[in-house]
Amino acid sequence: MKCPKCQTEINSNARFCTKCGCNLAVEMAKAVREPEPAKPVPCAKCGAALRPGAKFCVKCGQAVEPAGNQNQEDRTVFINDKPVNSSVNDQPVRVNNSSTQQVNTTVQKPNPVLGNIVPPDNADRKKEKNKKPKKQKEPKSSENSQNSEKAGKGFVIAALVLLVLVAASGAVCFMVWNGTISLPAVASKDKEDTEEESSSIEELSEPQSEIAAKESAPEVDVTALFAEADAMLADGKNQISVDAEVLNGMETLRNAMNQFADKAQEAGDTALAADQIADAYASYVTAVTRHKDMMSGMELSGAIYSQIMSEIKDAETLAEEMAAKGYTVDTAPLGTMKDAFETAYTEQVIRQFDDFTNRDAWSRTEAWNLMSGFDSAFDSDLDNPLRLRYAYALSWWIQRQVETELANGTITGKGAAIKIAELIEAMDYNPMMINYYITYMNEAGEDCSQVSEAYNEIVQHIADTQGIWIGTDIPLDHFWYFNDFGEYSVDDVNGVTPENRQWIRDRMGSVVFVQ
């Protein structure tokens, strides 16, 4: 059957509509007792359609017969076996009465909205009375008594009809509610009147397609679905609270997140795991931060820096993997922690490097242990303070390796030159290492005239721009190639200006080293 308000197909035994929520019994009863809207009245002369109640044709001016005579069929009431006009019901009604006087009365239907009874038309009674000869006029008291009797009879008839209608409506409502019968669709006007009510209900409810999908889809037992993943999440949280288990806890949390995502996908609803994945990722970031704090308390080194940055990068990658699966996690705390760590740690490393290289005697091994591991931390800025110190420490570390290997015979002079050539760019073309390359190649009898020419131009350019003759004014092993503090005086802590460093890079970029 269809809902009489919104026309939605519903179960014949339903009491309420599943779409608009209306009471089916009430709506069907309303459909039974509400009259059809009045139809236009055709003009008797020209046939033009006139609105109900019009007295004259708007087209030809023809007087229109009263609407009651056109639209209502005569209803007959028999009093003493004589017909009398009535509009009570669709069927003739016979009333037994001992009165011998013919009565012409019209009883109107009860108001369908208010349910009240309209009394008989007094004007019709007066008109009928005026037709009688004066000699037949009865005393006033008798007339009043008859009028009262007529009105009472009309009320009785109307009450009887009303009771019949109410009983019929109740019977219909019961049969509709019980599913015994179904009613046809209501008039289009009734549909229009209920559209606003239906739309307001739909706005507050889910789209019909989503409701249908949820009703047809089997209910998911979320507790059973995520039982294994929930256990993994709990284990991971416990592990990251113990220093020795932080790394294992991070791996457990990662596995739990993937497990949540996989199970939700199997169930066909990714939203089922949204909260659990967000919770697990927040715990993962907590673990990364905890491990960073633990390692930051160790001795400064590029290896520690690289390890921490690697774990932060893993957390960023994990967020991207979850986003690809339809989950958004909060990475803001991770980004804030990363920025703060980079700034603080690099400042500590720079201070320590400057401190021990300012000593009268400093260890090349100590310098390299501090700076090794920073090679993955540099961006496109060639004058990054960490990068400059890394290149300088690498130069001294390679120089020491070459000396050791030449002394014990594990490498030849040409082999030493090739080792330098392979790392010369990483050492930022340190003039000291270029000079070592030329020395070892000459000892091996190899041609290195192109490199020698470039080196001489470097020495001349620094002398012309800074007034320093490296190798003469300052020995190469006392020449500080990096300088990010500005101009230095001519002494054992001098360096190359940023402009001259870039000039050297451009000049050596076109030189071919034998490798």
Side-chain angles (χ1 to χ4, degrees), residues 408-426:
N408 60 29
T410 58
I411 194 174
T412 63
K414 185 176 180 179
I418 292 175
K419 187 171 185 176
I420 292 172
E422 291 174 345
L423 295 170
I424 193 65
E425 185 177 1

Side-chain angles (χ1 to χ4, degrees), residues 394-412:
L394 178 61
S395 299
W396 281 103
W397 181 247
I398 297 301
Q399 188 266 352
R400 178 177 179 177
Q401 284 184 335
V402 167
E403 287 182 347
T404 302
E405 291 169 354
L406 286 172
N408 60 29
T410 58
I411 194 174
T412 63

Side-chain angles (χ1 to χ4, degrees), residues 246-383:
V246 172
L247 293 179
N248 291 334
M250 291 164 60
E251 185 63 22
T252 302
L253 291 171
R254 176 188 290 273
N255 293 335
M257 292 174 66
N258 287 317
Q259 181 82 337
F260 279 122
D262 292 343
K263 289 297 183 181
Q265 185 177 14
E266 291 177 9
D269 187 359
T270 57
L272 292 175
D275 292 341
Q276 291 91 334
I277 288 179
D279 182 25
Y281 187 79
S283 297
Y284 189 95
V285 173
T286 299
V288 173
T289 303
R290 180 183 178 87
H291 198 229
K292 179 266 298 181
D293 294 339
M294 291 167 56
M295 290 190 292
S296 296
M298 302 177 182
E299 184 177 357
L300 295 176
S301 73
I304 295 295
Y305 176 88
S306 296
Q307 175 66 25
I308 294 173
M309 292 302 295
S310 176
E311 292 175 3
I312 294 175
K313 178 62 178 176
D314 288 343
E316 293 173 337
T317 302
L318 180 58
E320 294 171 357
E321 292 173 356
M322 290 298 106
K325 295 181 179 182
Y327 300 98
T328 301
V329 294
D330 186 8
T331 59
L334 181 70
T336 301
M337 181 269 285
K338 176 183 177 182
D339 293 341
F341 166 73
E342 282 187 297
T343 301
Y345 201 84
T346 54
E347 287 178 354
Q348 293 180 65
V349 170
I350 290 172
R351 285 197 300 269
Q352 183 163 324
F353 187 89
D354 293 347
D355 179 62
F356 66 68
T357 53
N358 282 327
R359 305 171 193 162
D360 293 337
W362 58 280
S363 168
R364 289 174 291 187
T365 301
E366 185 179 8
W368 179 242
N369 288 340
L370 176 64
M371 300 309 300
S372 63
F374 279 108
D375 53 324
S376 61
F378 310 130
D379 51 22
S380 58
D381 182 10
L382 298 177
D383 290 325

Side-chain angles (χ1 to χ4, degrees), residues 56-218:
F56 298 94
C57 176
V58 295
K59 185 174 181 180
C60 66
Q62 175 70 28
V64 181
E65 186 179 354
N69 294 333
Q70 295 179 7
N71 297 331
Q72 288 187 351
E73 298 179 2
D74 288 339
R75 308 293 185 247
T76 304
V77 177
F78 291 87
I79 300 178
N80 294 334
D81 295 333
K82 293 182 179 182
V84 179
N85 270 345
S86 174
S87 58
V88 176
N89 206 338
D90 291 336
Q91 300 297 328
V93 179
R94 186 180 300 275
V95 180
N96 292 326
N97 197 310
S98 60
S99 175
T100 59
Q101 183 176 352
Q102 181 175 346
V103 179
N104 183 12
T105 180
T106 300
V107 180
Q108 298 183 1
K109 291 184 179 181
N111 188 299
V113 177
L114 301 178
N116 63 324
I117 300 174
V118 181
D121 191 342
N122 292 330
D124 290 341
R125 295 201 310 272
K126 290 180 180 180
K127 184 177 179 181
E128 183 68 23
K129 181 179 65 174
N130 292 334
K131 291 182 181 180
K132 299 179 180 180
K134 293 184 179 179
K135 61 180 180 180
Q136 297 178 357
K137 186 175 181 180
E138 298 180 2
K140 186 174 183 179
S141 59
S142 176
E143 181 182 349
N144 291 340
S145 175
Q146 291 179 4
N147 288 342
S148 176
E149 182 179 356
K150 295 173 186 177
K153 293 176 180 178
F155 277 112
V156 170
I157 295 173
L160 290 174
V161 172
L162 178 60
L163 289 174
V164 171
L165 291 175
V166 170
S169 299
V172 171
C173 291
F174 176 78
M175 287 187 288
V176 170
W177 173 81
N178 195 38
T180 305
I181 63 171
S182 60
L183 294 180
V186 296
S188 59
K189 183 178 183 303
D190 188 53
K191 293 181 185 177
E192 294 174 357
D193 292 340
T194 58
E195 280 181 357
E196 292 185 3
E197 298 176 9
S198 300
S199 62
S200 62
I201 294 174
E202 289 176 359
E203 288 176 359
L204 297 176
S205 61
E206 297 180 85
Q208 196 67 19
S209 59
E210 293 184 12
I211 295 175
K214 288 183 178 180
E215 290 178 349
S216 60

Side-chain angles (χ1 to χ4, degrees), residues 379-384 387-388 425 427-431 434 454 457-458 461-462 465-466 481-483 495-510:
D379 51 22
S380 58
D381 182 10
L382 298 177
D383 290 325
N384 180 298
R387 184 181 187 277
L388 294 174
E425 185 177 1
M427 293 183 286
D428 204 11
Y429 302 105
N430 190 319
I434 296 174
E457 291 180 13
I458 291 172
H461 183 77
I462 292 176
T465 57
Q466 294 185 235
Y481 180 53
F482 79 91
N483 174 5
V496 178
T497 63
E499 295 76 16
N500 281 344
R501 276 199 304 273
Q502 189 57 48
W503 186 92
I504 294 172
R505 293 168 189 146
D506 295 338
R507 178 65 183 87
M508 297 305 298
S510 60

